[in-house]
Amino acid sequence: MSLEGKKVALTGGSGGIGSRLAHELVRRRADLVVIGRIEPQDLPGRFLAADLGTAEGIDAAARIVAAEMPDILVNLAGVQFFGAVEDQESSHVLMSYLVNLVAPVRLSQAVLPEMRRRQAGQIVNIGSVLGSIHYPYFVTYSSAKAGLRGFSEGLRREVASDGIAVTHIAPRGVRTGLSKGLVERFANMSGMRLDDPEVVVTRIAEAIVRRERDVLIGAPERLFARLNALAPRLIDSALVKDAAKARLLFHR
């Protein structure tokens, strides 16, 4: 279960999951470089600055990871909006898709030439269960994560003969700063499970080491995702009820 000798490039290393994952990767002896806008406190690896919320920042990050030539790229950085879609500011809509979808695609493009040359490498995209079960009031986040899931699947098929693994990991709700306030209240009202971040980080690290393909955390969510793919109308009624509960939070 060691990553000794592997250079890992990680985005989102300052968040509730990212900071823990950074320490876990180093504990497993990875040579870690974290790419982000703000340098995390108590960073266990090197830090290189780039803003994934702008097109220019994403291009800069792409140049950084290309020069680093990592063995493993982990696209973890993400932003979330909870609320009625019409209430999300246009600037935040753009940033949401840039951080959650465009950045992972561009950074993957940046590392692929060297990985193909070596006939080795791994790209890890951290999605969300909401990329398979499209929740109301998380519309832009859910749709961006659905795009990331589709990108991961298509890319995996494209590089299948190049020795490159593509790992897509979809956590359910996690008890971090993103789940505070209204999100936590909604989770309590709807019965949405929020996992301990340490458990999620351990599962992510195991999936990286094992070069797993698709990981969706949570047995009920895996079943729900399959039903949503096969018979979405069966899921509509449950999610409409959840939407009504969420509407109460916003007095709509």
Side-chain angles (χ1 to χ4, degrees), residues 57-217:
I58 291 172
D59 286 341
R63 290 191 293 271
I64 287 170
V65 297
E68 287 292 322
M69 296 185 292
D71 299 289
I72 302 171
L73 168 67
V74 182
N75 289 306
L76 172 63
V79 294
Q80 178 179 283
F81 175 78
F82 175 55
V85 67
E86 68 268 26
D87 291 340
Q88 187 173 7
E89 295 181 4
S90 59
S91 60
H92 197 276
V93 170
L94 178 59
M95 183 176 67
S96 247
Y97 288 108
L98 285 173
V99 175
N100 293 323
L101 181 56
V102 176
V105 173
R106 287 288 292 116
L107 298 190
S108 297
Q109 287 181 312
V111 300
L112 277 170
E114 178 61 21
M115 287 185 178
R116 286 186 193 271
R117 188 192 67 78
R118 294 193 310 245
Q119 289 287 288
Q122 183 179 13
I123 294 171
V124 181
N125 293 322
I126 309 300
S128 167
V129 69
L130 299 187
S132 297
I133 307 167
H134 308 122
Y135 257 73
Y137 289 87
F138 291 94
V139 172
T140 56
Y141 178 77
S142 184
S143 58
K145 291 299 188 179
L148 184 60
R149 179 173 173 265
F151 171 72
S152 301
E153 186 174 275
L155 180 61
R156 183 184 299 121
R157 292 165 178 166
E158 184 170 317
V159 301
S161 61
D162 294 313
I164 302 169
V166 178
T167 300
H168 177 261
I169 305 169
R172 55 188 177 185
V174 186
R175 293 193 181 279
T176 66
L178 286 177
S179 65
K180 296 295 184 183
L182 289 177
V183 174
E184 188 172 32
R185 288 174 60 192
F186 174 67
N188 292 334
M189 291 169 65
S190 63
M192 181 186 292
R193 175 72 180 269
L194 296 177
D195 287 326
D196 182 275
E198 296 293 348
V199 173
V200 175
V201 164
T202 299
R203 186 67 185 93
I204 290 172
E206 289 174 351
I208 293 171
V209 172
R210 294 170 180 166
R211 293 166 66 91
E212 295 183 55
R213 293 163 61 89
D214 278 301
V215 177
L216 196 158
I217 299 175

